């Protein structure tokens, strides 16, 4: 296995020539080629394979027309089905994200009435939806506790955070308002961005919550992570969560605040 770091298109072309590269797999969000660069790649016989996450539809239409793009690989079945009538369909090949369950196979949990959220604290990851209903959960189950793993800097460590150093200021104010004004902030622990040390929290968790809004989720790894640790997931019945959670078997997927509360309480009390 050879690792080569490229800093720009010139470096990339040098690596392609030196190693006689015929196929290039890359993530669209990390590098968007200029049209002249795509022409050079095509002339060199390189075939591009896009690892698909949340590529905009307008860009997929361009990609579908260009011969240099050989495959577009969605990471979830729901994401693939969504493109059924799209021009990109003939270039699709579905491969779910990989996941190593070995670190979780030996977890022995001592469960508390603890709900754990894993995800970035940005609007697209839906923590506000959990914060909005959390006061009602605590009202009906006063022993309930919420652990929050992640921060507004999960994807960009240079982002400026709000007063509580949790998320971008306006978004932080939004979800903290639910927790502070309803008097339940003392039941919530914000752990920030964590690595393997989060296993200690998972061992104490009864329920995992992943992005209740389902936005931007194609193959949510945190949903798989919870289940690998033997923890049921409660979340929204949308997009990639429909691929990764077996409703009624490894968790409960819902489509309203009322059902979200009921599902969390079901596991807390059962």
């Amino acid at each position: 296995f050879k690792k080569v770091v490229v800093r720009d298109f010139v470096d990339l072309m040098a690596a392609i020539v030196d190693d006689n590269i015929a196929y290039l797999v890359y993530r669209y969000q990390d590098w968007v080629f200029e049209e002249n660069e795509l022409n050079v790649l095509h002339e060199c016989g390189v075939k591009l394979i896009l690892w698909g996450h949340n590529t905009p539809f307008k860009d997929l239409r361009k990609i579908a027309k260009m011969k240099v793009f050989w495959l577009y690989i969605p990471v979830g079945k729901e994401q693939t089905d969504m493109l059924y009538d799209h021009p990109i369909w003939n270039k699709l090949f579905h491969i779910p994200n990989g996941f190593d369950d070995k670190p979780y196979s030996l977890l022995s949990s001592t469960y508390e009435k603890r709900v754990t959220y894993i995800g970035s604290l940005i609007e697209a990851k839906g923590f506000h939806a959990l914060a909005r209903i959390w006061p009602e959960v605590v009202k009906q189950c006063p022993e309930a506790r919420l652990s929050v793993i992640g921060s507004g800097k999960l994807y960009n460590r240079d982002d400026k955070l709000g007063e509580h150093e949790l998320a971008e200021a306006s978004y932080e104010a939004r979800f903290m308002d639910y927790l502070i004004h309803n008097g339940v902030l003392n039941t919530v622990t914000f752990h920030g961005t964590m690595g393997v040390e989060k296993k200690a929290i998972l061992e104490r968790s009864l329920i995992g919550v992943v992005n209740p809004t389902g936005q931007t989720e194609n193959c949510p790894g945190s949903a798989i992570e919870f289940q690998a640790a033997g923890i049921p997931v409660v979340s929204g019945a949308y997009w990639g969560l429909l691929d990764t959670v077996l409703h009624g078997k490894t968790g409960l997927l819902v489509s309203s605040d009322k059902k979200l509360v009921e599902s969390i309480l079901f596991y807390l009390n059962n």
Side-chain angles (χ1 to χ4, degrees), residues 3-263:
K3 180 178 180 180
V4 178
V5 177
V6 297
R7 295 173 177 81
D8 53 31
F9 187 72
V10 174
D11 277 0
L12 176 63
M13 287 306 303
I16 287 172
V17 172
D18 290 346
D19 294 315
N20 195 27
I21 293 172
Y23 300 91
L24 183 63
V25 182
Y26 80 108
R27 180 174 173 176
Y28 190 78
Q29 285 89 337
D30 295 338
W31 193 335
V32 179
F33 289 103
E34 300 291 338
E35 188 171 348
N36 64 313
E37 295 172 341
L38 291 172
N39 291 334
V40 171
L41 289 170
H42 183 53
E43 290 170 4
C44 292
V46 176
K47 290 182 172 65
L48 294 180
I49 300 173
L50 269 67
W51 181 37
H53 283 252
N54 293 298
T55 311
F57 270 33
K58 62 180 178 63
D59 294 338
L60 286 181
R61 283 192 286 272
K62 296 177 184 177
I63 291 165
K65 296 176 182 178
M66 302 184 73
K67 292 182 179 179
V68 67
F69 290 102
W70 189 57
L71 280 179
Y72 179 68
I73 302 180
V75 297
K77 185 177 181 298
E78 290 291 320
Q79 182 188 13
T80 304
D81 290 348
M82 181 177 65
L83 296 168
Y84 188 84
D85 293 318
H86 193 281
I88 199 72
W89 179 259
N90 291 329
K91 293 184 178 183
L92 290 188
F93 190 84
H94 166 217
I95 303 176
N97 274 337
F99 182 83
D100 181 10
D101 65 353
K102 292 184 180 66
Y104 304 93
S105 58
L106 298 178
L107 286 185
S108 56
S109 298
T110 53
Y111 297 127
E112 303 172 1
K113 291 201 171 184
R114 181 170 300 278
V115 178
T116 296
Y117 168 93
I118 296 180
S120 179
L121 296 183
I122 59 176
E123 184 170 8
K125 297 302 178 181
F127 176 70
H128 60 280
L130 176 58
R132 183 171 63 230
I133 61 93
W134 185 247
E136 183 61 27
V137 172
V138 174
K139 178 181 178 181
Q140 297 192 45
C141 182
E143 316 96 275
R145 295 295 179 267
L146 175 60
S147 285
V148 181
I149 299 174
S151 81
K153 287 191 174 184
L154 183 61
Y155 296 125
N156 187 347
R157 301 303 167 92
D158 296 326
D159 278 352
K160 292 183 179 180
L161 305 183
E163 175 186 353
H164 300 278
E165 293 291 308
L166 299 172
E168 182 275 325
S170 61
Y171 184 61
E172 179 184 273
R174 180 180 174 186
F175 66 72
M176 288 299 282
D177 184 59
Y178 296 127
L179 304 175
I180 293 173
H181 289 176
N182 289 285
V184 296
L185 185 59
N186 63 321
T187 68
V188 182
T189 303
F190 291 93
H191 299 276
T193 302
M194 305 181 78
V196 295
E197 66 273 17
K198 66 186 171 189
K199 285 173 60 178
I201 298 171
L202 296 185
E203 287 179 341
R204 296 159 50 205
S205 301
L206 189 63
I207 304 164
V209 175
V210 179
N211 192 351
T213 68
Q215 294 180 41
T216 77
E217 300 299 341
N218 294 318
C219 186
S222 48
I224 303 170
E225 187 174 24
F226 279 126
Q227 292 166 104
I231 300 168
V233 173
V234 174
S235 191
Y238 314 108
W239 306 114
L241 288 152
L242 296 168
D243 287 338
T244 51
V245 180
L246 298 176
H247 178 67
K249 293 184 178 180
T250 64
L252 294 171
L253 299 177
V254 302
S255 54
S256 70
D257 282 3
K258 181 174 182 290
K259 287 295 183 182
L260 186 60
V261 171
E262 290 176 355
S263 297

